[in-house]
Amino acid sequence: MSEKSAAKGKVVVNRAMSLDGFIAGPGDTIDWGPTDVAGQAPDEFAEIAAATGAMLVGRRTWDVGDRMEAAEPGTVDYPFSGPMFLLTHRPLDPPRPEVTVLTGDIGEAVATALDAAGGKDLEILGADVAAQCLQAGLVDEILVYVLPILLGDGIRITPPGLGRIDLVPISSTQAGTVMILRYRVAK
């Protein structure tokens, strides 16, 4: 962990994943399990949410969450009330005052959101944003909820061509049917 992130909290990529390595199914579907994570791991989920000071979310992930919430209100509830940052080139329509839209350099976006986290962790959500953060060496930890399902196709946890990134295991716990794995990114 870098000195900067120790003083300001960690940058944590947080995602649910199928056993075969997909974070979303075909057509960006995530109705296969991520909403079950809180029910499977209530203590761990609440602890992780309490350690989170801000979130930086990619546009595709944001749009999927909006669709899920519209179809079934409460689907994307998360016990978090800190600043939300959306990294996108398309502004929200209509604008949402509780969401800060960021564009441009990933390093600047992470620095802005990490400052707003108030010494707590910055949670990164979204495959593309996470890949950009990993490529830029900005990620301190990866937290993965492995769900007992094989999707066979969809959005992989990392895109092709990301390159090798060494990880150091921090912890692994089982909560119901979910395995919670935490890794530090070797720097």
Side-chain angles (χ1 to χ4, degrees):
M1 177 171 30
S2 68
E3 228 176 80
K4 178 184 103 170
S5 60
K8 294 189 171 220
K10 298 175 295 230
V11 176
V12 180
V13 171
N14 185 342
R15 56 193 45 198
M17 181 181 76
S18 66
L19 185 58
D20 54 349
F22 295 99
I23 60 168
D28 294 333
T29 59
I30 57 173
D31 59 354
W32 48 271
T35 57
D36 295 340
V37 172
Q40 293 290 328
D43 294 338
E44 292 85 351
F45 206 63
E47 182 180 313
I48 291 162
T52 301
M55 289 188 182
L56 178 61
V57 184
R59 183 58 188 254
R60 182 172 55 194
T61 299
W62 188 273
D63 289 346
V64 168
D66 274 354
R67 285 194 306 268
M68 288 176 61
E69 184 66 22
E72 188 177 336
T75 302
V76 293
D77 284 350
Y78 185 62
F80 169 77
S81 60
M84 296 288 290
F85 295 88
L86 174 61
L87 186 60
T88 183
H89 296 288
R90 293 182 292 126
L92 289 173
D93 186 24
R96 294 174 55 179
E98 74 278 12
V99 179
T100 302
V101 175
L102 302 174
T103 60
D105 180 73
I106 191 66
E108 291 173 15
V110 167
T112 297
L114 191 56
D115 283 344
K120 291 185 172 186
D121 295 345
L122 170 62
E123 191 169 297
I124 306 294
L125 298 174
D128 186 56
V129 173
Q132 289 179 57
C133 289
L134 285 163
Q135 285 175 325
L138 301 171
V139 177
D140 296 302
E141 292 183 5
I142 298 175
L143 175 63
V144 181
Y145 302 88
V146 181
L147 282 77
I149 188 169
L150 299 171
L151 293 177
D153 195 9
I155 306 296
R156 292 211 166 271
I157 190 166
T158 60
L162 178 65
R164 177 180 169 157
I165 296 174
D166 292 328
L167 306 174
V168 178
I170 296 173
S171 65
S172 63
T173 57
Q174 184 171 350
T177 61
V178 177
M179 290 300 300
I180 304 168
L181 307 175
R182 186 180 290 267
Y183 298 93
R184 181 177 50 80
V185 176
K187 297 196 180 195

